[in-house]
């Protein structure tokens, strides 16, 4: 990887609002996730991501979500269990045209039921898009 590529990928992790010392909990991990993005987040935060079974308070959540993964509201509720009061949830979905694509409307519909509000979206890699969700009180 060139220096320019490395700087760009770290910038994606920074664009998601992560910083050194943050604890990030990951849900929906599978063999199709973007491993470069995961590595960049871990490099920036200085620690490995927590998995679904960890009980430490997380500063943010990464939820890898694909069509057919089940009930998005339930998964969002699960992701809030150890999230700090000011934490954010990033829902990462395959981009349009990719296997497992999820319509942004599905996320828009599920978020309020889970007590969350959609704030922004971002392309985070060639195959994945991200939608940022926050608690309604943290708009």
């Amino acid at each position: 990887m060139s220096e320019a590529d490395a700087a760009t990928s770290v910038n994606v992790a920074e664009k998601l609002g992560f910083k050194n010392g943050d604890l990030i909990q990951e849900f929906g991990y599978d063999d199709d996730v973007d491993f470069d993005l995961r590595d960049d987040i871990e490099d920036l935060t200085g620690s490995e991501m927590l998995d679904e079974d960890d009980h430490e308070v997380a500063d943010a959540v990464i939820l890898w979500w694909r069509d057919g993964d089940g009930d998005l509201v339930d998964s969002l509720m699960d992701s809030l269990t150890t999230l700090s009061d000011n934490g954010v949830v990033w829902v990462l979905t395959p981009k349009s045209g990719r296997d497992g694509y999820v319509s942004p409307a599905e996320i828009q519909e599920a978020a309020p039921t889970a007590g969350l509000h959609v704030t922004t979206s971002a392309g985070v890699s060639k195959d994945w898009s991200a939608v940022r969700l926050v608690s309604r009180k943290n708009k």
Side-chain angles (χ1 to χ4, degrees), residues 5 10 18 20 36 47 58 67 71 93 98 105 108 112 116 120 135:
D5 289 340
V10 169
F18 304 141
N20 187 30
D36 289 336
S47 63
D67 183 45
D71 188 300
T93 60
R98 308 288 199 286
Q108 287 274 5
L116 297 167
T120 57
S135 146

Side-chain angles (χ1 to χ4, degrees), residues 93-104 125-129:
T93 60
K95 288 185 173 178
S96 180
R98 308 288 199 286
D99 283 345
Y101 169 73
V102 175
S103 163
S125 72
K126 80 178 174 72
D127 293 321
W128 292 87
S129 295

Side-chain angles (χ1 to χ4, degrees), residues 30-104:
D30 206 341
D31 58 6
D32 65 342
V33 302
D34 188 304
F35 291 99
D36 289 336
L37 177 60
R38 289 182 83 257
D39 290 344
D40 296 336
I41 292 169
E42 291 177 345
D43 288 346
L44 181 65
T45 61
S47 63
E48 290 185 8
M49 284 195 255
L50 305 172
D51 67 26
E52 295 179 17
D53 298 323
D54 282 310
H55 297 289
E56 293 183 60
V57 175
D59 298 298
V61 164
I62 295 283
L63 171 61
W64 301 96
W65 190 257
R66 305 146 199 89
D67 183 45
D69 276 355
D71 188 300
L72 180 54
V73 173
D74 286 346
S75 291
L76 288 171
M77 296 296 289
D78 290 345
S79 76
L80 299 176
T81 304
T82 58
L83 186 65
S84 71
D85 290 342
N86 296 320
V88 300
V89 176
W90 282 99
V91 179
L92 280 73
T93 60
K95 288 185 173 178
S96 180
R98 308 288 199 286
D99 283 345
Y101 169 73
V102 175
S103 163

Side-chain angles (χ1 to χ4, degrees), residues 114-136:
L116 297 167
H117 172 76
V118 174
T119 60
T120 57
S121 60
V124 293
S125 72
K126 80 178 174 72
D127 293 321
W128 292 87
S129 295
V131 176
R132 183 177 182 264
L133 306 177
V134 297
S135 146
R136 289 189 214 185

